[in-house]
Amino acid sequence: RDRSPSRGLGDVYKRQGVNGGLSILVHGIRALMQQSPGLVCVKMDLSNAFNEVERAALVEAVMEAVRSHPELHDLLPFMTHTYTPETMAVVGATKDRLFQHNVHAGDVSQGGPQGNPLMGAAFCLAIHPFLKRLNERLQAGGGTAKADMDDAYAIGTPGEVFGATEEFLQGLRSIGLMANVAKFEVWSPVADLTDNQARLRLGIPLKDPGLPQGIAVAGAPVGDAAYQAEGATKLGDKVAGVIDKLTDTLGGSPHHLWVAARLSAQSKFDYYLQHIPPEHTAEGARRVDDALKRAMSACLKGCRHLDDALVMRRMRLPIRHAGGGMRSKADMRYAAYAGSLITAVAQFTT
């Protein structure tokens, strides 16, 4: 039985309490913007959200969840004992207290206590009423509002989305949350927002029109073709850099390098293969594959057999098929994206 306090948030939250939620979020926003290119997507940024939200709002949000689901009542003593008093905060590698002179008092009285397991659910519950109101307002014009923890996305018409966003931010201020408007991102496939008065009033910036246009949704680039291809290539470079660093570090121990590259490093690009259309991931996938080949060469001490197409094909096969387990990202990208998209589409209405 699901005993999570975040049950019932699936209407607007796509990480907390929703299976495959990030896939629904990424594919859903991309599909909506493709089908309704006149809409505008605003990605919001909250300043130090988990440390600034009022603790009273967190406790009240969980209490409200308990009223709806009495079986969660045993969470209340934990909330009372860990969220009501001031708590310590430690910083840096040495784990020093934030305010070392406060011997008899805590360091922080707002925000979630460090390491508290209920913080994610409590935060989502606290802002859920405001996010739900934002979603209802935008749906009237064919838009929506969704969130991934403290990253919120408002999608609506140019004449509605900024006013609705302003109302949402006002609600968040009532529980101690402030927006970092300078870090907001805005994207629309066709709408010209240069002279949009509501946007100007809020101070939300626009990107240089000469650059590729889009936004990052749950880490995946969503936008025009150039934006998605450029983002995928940068992400491929980042993952390739991790693999190369691993190769440099473990090159003298081929057994350790092979296991680390196969079981850990190579999968770091899979999320992006699942959430960026395959026509945009070719170059990023190639760069990851090249880094994996360099790792294999270090393991095999420069064995030239890797230049043989048949040998490389065997190395790319999964272990269960008597291969080396170093999967080709270029070969996987269509299947990875299709599998993720098909699974997410079935849940778009949720």
Side-chain angles (χ1 to χ4, degrees):
R1 185 174 59 172
D2 182 5
R3 292 176 57 82
S4 169
S6 59
R7 288 183 301 174
L9 299 184
D11 53 344
V12 289
Y13 261 104
K14 293 306 177 189
R15 178 192 288 260
Q16 192 73 26
V18 180
N19 291 330
L22 290 186
S23 295
I24 300 171
L25 180 68
V26 177
H27 293 303
I29 289 180
R30 182 181 286 114
L32 179 58
M33 299 302 287
Q34 288 174 344
Q35 293 172 3
S36 304
L39 296 180
V40 177
C41 182
V42 179
K43 179 182 178 181
M44 291 170 259
D45 183 84
L46 301 179
S47 299
N48 204 19
F50 290 162
N51 293 320
E52 296 292 337
V53 62
E54 294 181 359
R55 288 194 179 179
L58 298 173
V59 175
E60 177 58 34
V62 173
M63 289 179 65
E64 185 62 32
V66 171
R67 294 187 190 103
S68 303
H69 304 283
E71 67 273 18
L72 300 176
H73 187 270
D74 54 355
L75 294 176
L76 289 181
F78 180 82
M79 289 292 295
T80 302
H81 285 85
T82 59
Y83 281 73
T84 303
E86 293 182 343
T87 52
M88 291 194 305
V90 296
V91 296
T94 58
K95 302 296 189 294
D96 294 326
R97 279 191 60 175
L98 183 61
F99 300 111
Q100 298 185 31
H101 60 278
N102 284 353
V103 178
H104 302 293
D107 299 317
V108 293
S109 58
Q110 300 293 359
Q114 284 184 328
N116 192 284
L118 281 181
M119 182 55 195
F123 180 87
C124 294
L125 288 165
I127 75 169
H128 182 253
F130 309 107
L131 193 61
K132 186 175 181 179
R133 164 60 184 156
L134 175 64
N135 184 51
E136 292 171 348
R137 182 171 172 180
L138 293 173
Q139 280 183 330
T144 189
K146 302 297 181 211
D148 165 19
M149 301 301 287
D150 59 333
D151 290 331
Y153 305 84
I155 303 175
T157 62
E160 179 68 14
V161 68
F162 295 108
T165 296
E166 185 175 22
E167 180 186 60
F168 173 67
L169 297 178
Q170 289 173 350
L172 294 187
R173 284 197 290 271
S174 69
I175 59 172
L177 293 171
M178 302 299 293
N180 188 355
V181 178
K183 289 188 177 181
F184 278 27
E185 296 181 54
V186 180
W187 171 60
S188 175
V190 299
D192 184 358
L193 304 172
T194 305
D195 298 320
N196 186 290
Q197 293 302 306
R199 180 192 68 80
L200 293 171
R201 184 178 69 253
L202 289 173
I204 299 176
L206 293 179
K207 293 182 179 179
D208 183 339
L211 297 176
Q213 299 295 305
I215 59 172
V217 178
V222 174
D224 61 33
Y227 180 83
Q228 295 186 87
E230 180 182 90
T233 300
K234 289 180 179 179
L235 292 166
D237 279 336
K238 183 177 180 180
V239 174
V242 171
I243 297 172
D244 285 337
K245 184 176 181 180
L246 195 64
T247 301
D248 292 339
T249 304
L250 298 178
S253 181
H255 292 89
H256 292 92
L257 173 57
W258 194 283
V259 171
R262 181 175 68 85
L263 297 181
S264 177
Q266 71 163 336
S267 62
K268 291 182 179 296
F269 197 61
D270 292 357
Y271 174 82
Y272 305 111
L273 293 178
Q274 294 170 336
H275 296 98
I276 306 173
E279 61 267 26
H280 305 312
T281 56
E283 181 59 23
R286 183 191 65 79
R287 297 187 185 191
V288 174
D289 284 348
D290 287 347
L292 286 172
K293 185 175 180 179
R294 290 190 289 271
M296 287 187 280
S297 295
C299 290
L300 300 175
K301 300 301 181 183
C303 176
R304 294 183 179 180
H305 292 303
L306 287 178
D307 294 328
D308 185 283
L310 186 60
V311 172
M312 181 55 72
R313 183 179 177 184
R314 172 56 64 87
M315 293 296 102
R316 299 295 194 192
L317 285 175
I319 296 294
R320 66 181 182 275
H321 291 161
M326 296 293 198
R327 308 307 305 281
S328 168
K329 304 306 168 184
D331 292 346
M332 290 173 54
R333 55 200 177 95
Y334 283 93
Y337 185 78
S340 175
L341 178 62
I342 291 169
T343 303
V345 165
Q347 304 180 71
F348 272 4
T349 57
T350 65

